[in-house]
Structures are given as C-alpha cells and as structure tokens.
Amino acid sequence: MKKILVTGALGQIGSELVGKLRNLYGTEGVIATDILKRTSSEVASGPYEALDVTNGLAMFDIANKYGVDTIIHLAALLSATSEEKPVQAWQLNIGGLMNALEVSRSLGCQLFTPSSIAAFGPTTTKDHTPQETIQRPNSMYGVSKVAGELLCDYYYHKFGLDTRGLRFPGLISYVTLPGGGTTDYVVEMYIQAVARGKYTSYLSPGTFLDMMYMPDALDAIISIMEADGSKLKHRNAFNVSAMSIDPEMLAEAIRKHIPAFKVDYKPDPLRQAIADSWPNAIDSSASIEQWGFQVNYDLDQMTVEMLSHLAVKGN
Ligand code: AKB
C-alpha cells in the first residue's frame, strides 16, 4: 500500500488533496503535515504531524517513522507574498524543496512538487506559451519556481529520483481560500459577487491569465504521479491550464447568474506587475500527449459550481 507524506496540507491544494488521496489509498496511507501544531481541519482526522519544512531532520524523522514511499511537497509562499518577503520566500520555497528532495533520496521516495506559470517571465512568448521556451521570470516566486524545476530535473538525472511536477495556473476553489497569490482575484470575485453583488478588482481589465478549477488540478496531480515514467520527457515542469480569462470575462460569466453584479477596477501595482510578467495562455499539449492530461471544467461550469457552493456556505 502507498504511504504518502503531504507537506503544506492545510493550504489551498493540500486541504482538498489529502481527502482525495485518503479515499484512494486509505486514511492511514496519507500523512498530512503542516506548520501548525494543532488544527481542527478535516486533514487532522487521519495521521497528522506538525512540520516546518525548513527543518530537514524533522521531515526525515516523520517520513521514516511512517515508512513513506511518496512525498507531495506543497508548502510554499505564493507570488505576492514572495515579492514582499523575498528572503523568507527563498528559504521556504527552495530550502523546503531541497529538504524534500534529500529526504526522498534517502528513503527512495517518488516526489511531486508544483511549479507555476510564474516560472515564465516578461520575455516569454505570451500566447500559446510552449512547453520549452525562454524562462527569465522577474519575481522572487518565479525565480524560486525555475530553480525548483531545475533542482528536480537535477535529482532525476543525477540520482534517478522519480521527481514529477506541473506548472499550475491560478487554482480556483470554494473550500480553502488561496492566500498571497496574484490569481486570487478570481476566488475573491466569486465570494464578493455572492456576498455583496459588487467587487473591486486589483487586476485591470484585459489582464489574461491561465486558471483551473481545483477538482481538475487534483486529478492532474494524481494522473502525473501514476503516469508511466518512461513516457515523461518533461518530468518536472509540465504546462497545464484549463482556461485563459481576464477579470471582465469572469464578471460576464458571473452575470449570467447574478445579472446586477458590478465590477470596478483599482489595480494594485505589485500584483498587476506580476500578472503582466506572466503568459496570457500556456500550451498544455505536452501534458496531453505524454500523460493524458484533461480537464472537466471550463469557465461556465466552474462558475456554476463556485456560485452555488459559496451561496450554500453563506459567503
Ligand atoms: C499565484 O498567483 O501566486 C499562484 C500561482 C499562479 O502560482 N496562484
């Protein structure tokens, strides 16, 4: 039976991924970890350990204690926070990843860690951004993501470690809110549409970015981890996207359900500059060809689900 250690398990991806993995591989097969000692979250209903991922020894001890064979390393600071705290971002994003790589090497684990559309920069082709292209990001988060992709490739080639990863776009979910990202406006807009019927966007109209609904992201993680390794040419940096949208397209999709919804714009210079440095729309064809990537949700389908779940939650 698989034994999977998840870091950053209380975060936006982790809090939903842990439940899905436990359904697939059994409750005892998934060890959730996060920096918090105590949590009332659902993820603590199975094995849960407090773990600061910058402490490599502690990570090794937990992985060894449970006999894990797989690490899903999610703990990281997102783009806007990384720009405000670049030293902390480097220490957590790269220090944590180095520890996950070393623990995986010591114990012979398979390792998944997400990269991001942030691994591209202002000199990258903006539309149909190819799988392999110029990567000169100008944000600290982007720098850490490119370094992470390269480190994972290095451990695969040098030590034969089974490292795998996806370049995620903005991930959209009603369950756990994202924090400190540039793409967070999407979730905020849904929440404010339901709660107040209006929203002030921190990104300007015409700012196109890739997005994906969380259930598709969770399926993508499981698919890449289960894919036949011999077919993967780009192990650690697969482009994946479900849609490319700007704030106006999102507002229009919401107005199909809340006709009076109003949006105005007050761009935040920090997050606007980050968004402007990222692609409009990446090309996911290498993922489709090499491991059968597919999505079930487009903008309209995601909007129906987001609005109905948020209305039930009473946002
Ligand atoms: C962010 O906005 O920082 C993240 C990302 C695209 O990696 N959602």
Side-chain angles (χ1 to χ4, degrees), residues 134-193:
I134 296 169
Q135 289 183 263
R136 305 289 293 170
N138 58 2
S139 69
M140 178 47 105
Y141 180 64
V143 169
S144 76
K145 288 298 173 188
V146 175
E149 290 181 1
L150 293 172
L151 274 171
C152 290
D153 279 351
Y154 176 81
Y155 271 71
Y156 169 65
H157 290 295
K158 182 88 179 175
F159 306 117
L161 199 70
D162 187 2
T163 52
R164 302 183 183 203
L166 305 173
R167 287 183 184 134
F168 273 137
L171 299 183
I172 315 307
S173 162
Y174 60 86
V175 178
T176 304
L177 301 188
T182 300
T183 56
D184 299 2
Y185 88 85
V186 177
V187 177
E188 285 180 8
M189 195 188 287
Y190 283 125
I191 291 174
Q192 293 304 321

Side-chain angles (χ1 to χ4, degrees), residues 78-79 116-117 141 168-170 181-183 278:
L78 294 186
S79 54
S116 162
I117 51 170
Y141 180 64
F168 273 137
T182 300
T183 56
W278 291 353

